[in-house]
Amino acid sequence: SLAMRVEFDILTRFQRLGLRQNQITQIDIPSSVAANLTELDLYDNLIAHVKGLDDFQNLTSLDISFNKIKHIKNVSHLVELTDLYFVQNKISKMEGLEGLTKLRNLELGANRIRVCAVLLSLSFWIVDWPGNRKPRHALVFGGTMAGEEQDH
């Protein structure tokens, strides 16, 4: 309809889109809108699977915290990402982050992660480790945690 087209035309000018606390179950944003977005906030929805992000090539910040996600998938093509938030989901394993070399902030607090394996391909991360009440941060340089001794 004309009204829907007008709404989407307005959205194509936006760089930030916040859709917090709705009842969104899947990511379904038109490619004309996705192409210009640099920040997408889907905090506190009902998303179970990370899908529908194919056209978000300029995205630098993605927040999918407080959803129902079990696996980190379909984000490795978002190579401009610097901030990625998956707080309070059902994630049990750090995976699917290959190629995100610009990533500087990764928050995974309040998930189900037991073992944290950091990808060696990333040059620098600030990782929000799952903890009881206070987040603990570690810096990782080329796969070696700051303070960790290297074998030479």
Side-chain angles (χ1 to χ4, degrees), residues 98-114:
E98 301 82 7
L100 300 181
T101 58
K102 293 184 180 181
L103 196 61
R104 295 293 177 258
N105 299 304
L106 174 62
E107 294 195 21
L108 294 166
N111 275 288
R112 298 176 178 174
I113 298 172
R114 299 271 185 244

Side-chain angles (χ1 to χ4, degrees), residues 45-63:
N45 279 287
L46 302 172
I47 299 167
H49 302 283
V50 181
K51 296 179 184 174
L53 295 173
D54 293 342
D55 297 320
F56 288 82
Q57 299 303 320
N58 295 311
L59 210 58
T60 59
S61 179
L62 176 60
D63 191 343

Side-chain angles (χ1 to χ4, degrees), residues 2-13:
L2 180 59
M4 287 292 282
R5 245 185 323 218
V6 170
E7 287 178 24
F8 286 136
D9 286 344
I10 291 169
L11 289 176
T12 61
R13 296 181 286 196

